[in-house]
Short mmCIF file of all heavy atoms in Angstrom, two decimals:
data_model
loop_
_atom_site.label_atom_id
_atom_site.label_comp_id
_atom_site.label_asym_id
_atom_site.label_seq_id
_atom_site.Cartn_x
_atom_site.Cartn_y
_atom_site.Cartn_z
N GLY A 1 13.34 19.38 -2.70
CA GLY A 1 14.42 19.12 -1.74
C GLY A 1 14.05 18.60 -0.26
O GLY A 1 14.92 18.36 0.50
N THR A 2 12.73 18.52 -0.03
CA THR A 2 12.30 18.12 1.29
C THR A 2 12.33 16.50 1.22
O THR A 2 11.94 15.85 0.26
CB THR A 2 10.83 18.51 1.61
OG1 THR A 2 10.86 19.92 1.62
CG2 THR A 2 10.44 17.95 2.82
N ARG A 3 12.89 15.96 2.27
CA ARG A 3 12.87 14.50 2.51
C ARG A 3 11.48 14.07 2.98
O ARG A 3 11.07 14.44 4.12
CB ARG A 3 13.90 13.99 3.46
CG ARG A 3 15.40 14.08 2.95
CD ARG A 3 16.30 14.72 3.85
NE ARG A 3 16.37 14.16 5.17
CZ ARG A 3 16.52 14.87 6.21
NH1 ARG A 3 16.74 16.09 6.20
NH2 ARG A 3 16.50 14.15 7.42
N VAL A 4 10.78 13.27 2.13
CA VAL A 4 9.39 12.93 2.50
C VAL A 4 9.33 11.52 2.91
O VAL A 4 9.83 10.66 2.12
CB VAL A 4 8.46 13.19 1.33
CG1 VAL A 4 7.04 12.69 1.59
CG2 VAL A 4 8.40 14.72 1.03
N VAL A 5 8.75 11.18 4.11
CA VAL A 5 8.67 9.87 4.61
C VAL A 5 7.15 9.53 4.87
O VAL A 5 6.52 10.20 5.66
CB VAL A 5 9.61 9.60 5.85
CG1 VAL A 5 9.50 8.08 6.30
CG2 VAL A 5 10.97 10.07 5.56
N LEU A 6 6.69 8.48 4.23
CA LEU A 6 5.29 7.94 4.33
C LEU A 6 5.32 6.86 5.49
O LEU A 6 6.19 5.87 5.41
CB LEU A 6 4.68 7.46 3.06
CG LEU A 6 4.87 8.41 1.85
CD1 LEU A 6 4.48 7.70 0.60
CD2 LEU A 6 3.95 9.56 2.08
N VAL A 7 4.36 6.91 6.42
CA VAL A 7 4.36 5.97 7.55
C VAL A 7 2.94 5.41 7.49
O VAL A 7 1.93 6.11 7.77
CB VAL A 7 4.75 6.53 8.85
CG1 VAL A 7 4.80 5.35 9.93
CG2 VAL A 7 6.14 7.18 8.68
N GLY A 8 2.77 4.05 7.31
CA GLY A 8 1.39 3.44 7.31
C GLY A 8 1.38 2.16 8.16
O GLY A 8 2.28 1.41 8.10
N LYS A 9 0.29 2.13 9.00
CA LYS A 9 0.13 0.96 9.95
C LYS A 9 -0.53 -0.28 9.28
O LYS A 9 -0.48 -1.27 9.83
CB LYS A 9 -0.60 1.54 11.14
CG LYS A 9 -0.65 0.38 12.19
CD LYS A 9 -1.52 0.97 13.47
CE LYS A 9 -1.57 -0.02 14.49
NZ LYS A 9 -2.45 -1.27 14.07
N ALA A 10 -1.26 -0.03 8.22
CA ALA A 10 -2.10 -1.12 7.70
C ALA A 10 -1.23 -2.34 7.45
O ALA A 10 -0.18 -2.32 7.00
CB ALA A 10 -2.74 -0.57 6.31
N GLU A 11 -1.88 -3.52 7.63
CA GLU A 11 -1.21 -4.73 7.54
C GLU A 11 -0.87 -5.06 6.02
O GLU A 11 -1.68 -4.93 5.22
CB GLU A 11 -2.09 -5.85 8.05
CG GLU A 11 -1.55 -7.27 8.09
CD GLU A 11 -2.37 -8.35 8.68
OE1 GLU A 11 -3.48 -7.93 9.07
OE2 GLU A 11 -2.05 -9.56 8.68
N LEU A 12 0.25 -5.56 5.84
CA LEU A 12 0.80 -5.86 4.50
C LEU A 12 0.36 -7.38 4.17
O LEU A 12 0.59 -8.19 4.92
CB LEU A 12 2.32 -5.75 4.42
CG LEU A 12 2.76 -4.34 4.49
CD1 LEU A 12 4.35 -4.34 4.74
CD2 LEU A 12 2.44 -3.44 3.38
N PRO A 13 -0.24 -7.59 2.99
CA PRO A 13 -0.56 -8.91 2.61
C PRO A 13 0.76 -9.69 2.47
O PRO A 13 1.83 -9.11 2.05
CB PRO A 13 -1.27 -8.73 1.21
CG PRO A 13 -1.68 -7.33 1.18
CD PRO A 13 -0.68 -6.63 2.11
N ARG A 14 0.75 -11.07 2.46
CA ARG A 14 1.87 -11.79 2.23
C ARG A 14 2.14 -11.89 0.76
O ARG A 14 1.28 -11.70 -0.10
CB ARG A 14 1.67 -13.32 2.81
CG ARG A 14 1.66 -13.31 4.29
CD ARG A 14 1.59 -14.73 4.87
NE ARG A 14 1.38 -14.68 6.31
CZ ARG A 14 1.29 -15.93 6.89
NH1 ARG A 14 1.27 -17.01 6.36
NH2 ARG A 14 1.09 -15.79 8.28
N GLY A 15 3.40 -12.27 0.44
CA GLY A 15 3.69 -12.51 -0.93
C GLY A 15 3.97 -11.20 -1.78
O GLY A 15 4.01 -10.14 -1.22
N ALA A 16 3.97 -11.38 -3.07
CA ALA A 16 4.37 -10.15 -3.95
C ALA A 16 3.02 -9.32 -4.31
O ALA A 16 3.20 -8.34 -5.07
CB ALA A 16 5.03 -10.65 -5.19
N GLY A 17 2.01 -9.73 -3.92
CA GLY A 17 0.76 -9.09 -4.32
C GLY A 17 0.60 -7.58 -3.95
O GLY A 17 -0.06 -6.82 -4.59
N TYR A 18 1.35 -7.17 -2.86
CA TYR A 18 1.26 -5.80 -2.39
C TYR A 18 2.03 -4.93 -3.39
O TYR A 18 2.15 -3.66 -3.19
CB TYR A 18 1.68 -5.51 -0.99
CG TYR A 18 3.14 -6.04 -0.64
CD1 TYR A 18 4.30 -5.46 -1.16
CD2 TYR A 18 3.33 -7.15 0.10
CE1 TYR A 18 5.49 -5.91 -0.82
CE2 TYR A 18 4.58 -7.73 0.38
CZ TYR A 18 5.68 -7.05 -0.05
OH TYR A 18 6.81 -7.53 0.36
N LEU A 19 2.65 -5.41 -4.47
CA LEU A 19 3.38 -4.51 -5.51
C LEU A 19 2.57 -4.24 -6.66
O LEU A 19 2.93 -3.72 -7.63
CB LEU A 19 4.69 -5.25 -5.91
CG LEU A 19 5.72 -5.43 -4.84
CD1 LEU A 19 6.92 -6.06 -5.32
CD2 LEU A 19 6.07 -3.98 -4.18
N SER A 20 1.17 -4.56 -6.51
CA SER A 20 0.19 -4.15 -7.53
C SER A 20 0.39 -2.71 -7.95
O SER A 20 0.37 -1.89 -6.93
CB SER A 20 -1.19 -4.52 -7.26
OG SER A 20 -2.06 -4.11 -8.15
N PRO A 21 0.51 -2.26 -9.22
CA PRO A 21 0.78 -0.96 -9.53
C PRO A 21 -0.35 0.04 -9.43
O PRO A 21 -0.16 1.13 -9.22
CB PRO A 21 1.12 -1.02 -11.10
CG PRO A 21 0.52 -2.23 -11.59
CD PRO A 21 0.45 -3.22 -10.44
N THR A 22 -1.61 -0.43 -9.32
CA THR A 22 -2.72 0.56 -9.20
C THR A 22 -3.78 0.00 -8.11
O THR A 22 -3.79 -1.15 -7.96
CB THR A 22 -3.43 0.77 -10.43
OG1 THR A 22 -3.97 -0.56 -10.94
CG2 THR A 22 -2.53 1.47 -11.46
N PRO A 23 -4.46 0.78 -7.42
CA PRO A 23 -5.49 0.35 -6.52
C PRO A 23 -6.56 -0.45 -7.16
O PRO A 23 -6.93 -0.10 -8.29
CB PRO A 23 -6.05 1.59 -5.90
CG PRO A 23 -5.00 2.69 -6.19
CD PRO A 23 -4.37 2.23 -7.41
N ALA A 24 -6.89 -1.59 -6.60
CA ALA A 24 -8.00 -2.36 -7.10
C ALA A 24 -9.34 -1.73 -6.78
O ALA A 24 -9.53 -1.31 -5.67
CB ALA A 24 -7.95 -3.85 -6.53
N ALA A 25 -10.21 -1.76 -7.60
CA ALA A 25 -11.50 -0.94 -7.53
C ALA A 25 -12.34 -1.44 -6.32
O ALA A 25 -13.12 -0.65 -5.60
CB ALA A 25 -12.41 -1.18 -8.77
N GLU A 26 -12.27 -2.75 -5.88
CA GLU A 26 -13.07 -3.14 -4.79
C GLU A 26 -12.27 -3.31 -3.50
O GLU A 26 -12.76 -3.92 -2.59
CB GLU A 26 -13.75 -4.49 -5.29
CG GLU A 26 -14.64 -4.44 -6.38
CD GLU A 26 -15.80 -3.42 -6.21
OE1 GLU A 26 -16.34 -3.33 -5.06
OE2 GLU A 26 -16.31 -2.78 -7.05
N ASN A 27 -11.06 -2.91 -3.56
CA ASN A 27 -10.16 -3.18 -2.42
C ASN A 27 -9.39 -1.89 -2.02
O ASN A 27 -8.33 -1.65 -2.76
CB ASN A 27 -9.27 -4.28 -2.71
CG ASN A 27 -8.38 -4.75 -1.49
OD1 ASN A 27 -8.53 -4.07 -0.44
ND2 ASN A 27 -7.53 -5.75 -1.66
N ARG A 28 -9.74 -1.22 -1.11
CA ARG A 28 -9.05 0.04 -0.75
C ARG A 28 -7.65 -0.15 -0.16
O ARG A 28 -6.90 0.78 -0.01
CB ARG A 28 -9.89 0.93 0.10
CG ARG A 28 -11.18 1.38 -0.53
CD ARG A 28 -11.96 2.39 0.02
NE ARG A 28 -13.25 2.63 -0.61
CZ ARG A 28 -13.86 3.82 -0.79
NH1 ARG A 28 -13.32 4.86 -0.17
NH2 ARG A 28 -15.03 3.92 -1.38
N ALA A 29 -7.40 -1.40 0.24
CA ALA A 29 -6.02 -1.78 0.56
C ALA A 29 -5.07 -1.51 -0.58
O ALA A 29 -3.84 -1.38 -0.37
CB ALA A 29 -5.91 -3.15 1.04
N GLY A 30 -5.63 -1.24 -1.78
CA GLY A 30 -4.75 -1.06 -3.00
C GLY A 30 -4.04 0.21 -2.80
O GLY A 30 -2.98 0.56 -3.38
N PHE A 31 -4.55 1.19 -1.98
CA PHE A 31 -3.88 2.50 -1.76
C PHE A 31 -2.61 2.29 -1.06
O PHE A 31 -1.51 2.85 -1.43
CB PHE A 31 -4.77 3.48 -0.90
CG PHE A 31 -5.95 4.00 -1.61
CD1 PHE A 31 -7.30 3.79 -1.18
CD2 PHE A 31 -5.87 4.57 -2.91
CE1 PHE A 31 -8.45 4.17 -1.81
CE2 PHE A 31 -7.04 5.08 -3.53
CZ PHE A 31 -8.28 4.87 -2.98
N LEU A 32 -2.53 1.37 -0.13
CA LEU A 32 -1.28 1.11 0.53
C LEU A 32 -0.33 0.28 -0.41
O LEU A 32 0.84 0.67 -0.52
CB LEU A 32 -1.56 0.19 1.84
CG LEU A 32 -0.36 -0.38 2.53
CD1 LEU A 32 0.50 0.72 3.00
CD2 LEU A 32 -0.75 -1.33 3.57
N ARG A 33 -0.86 -0.56 -1.27
CA ARG A 33 -0.04 -1.21 -2.15
C ARG A 33 0.67 -0.25 -3.18
O ARG A 33 1.79 -0.42 -3.43
CB ARG A 33 -0.78 -2.28 -2.94
CG ARG A 33 -1.33 -3.47 -2.12
CD ARG A 33 -1.80 -4.69 -2.93
NE ARG A 33 -2.97 -4.28 -3.73
CZ ARG A 33 -4.22 -4.53 -3.43
NH1 ARG A 33 -4.44 -4.99 -2.20
NH2 ARG A 33 -5.23 -4.15 -4.20
#
């Protein structure tokens, strides 16, 4: 029942690539995606 809001400053890549479903092994920006 708690409203949870995630706030991240990291830059978003252009295009649809940031919707990748899992983190890429060599790219920790995958956590943000």
Side-chain angles (χ1 to χ4, degrees):
T2 297
R3 287 138 48 219
V4 176
V5 184
L6 309 172
V7 185
K9 182 180 182 295
E11 183 177 356
L12 293 168
R14 293 183 182 180
Y18 54 73
L19 294 180
S20 172
T22 56
E26 298 301 324
N27 183 4
R28 298 194 184 211
F31 292 124
L32 174 63
R33 291 195 295 269

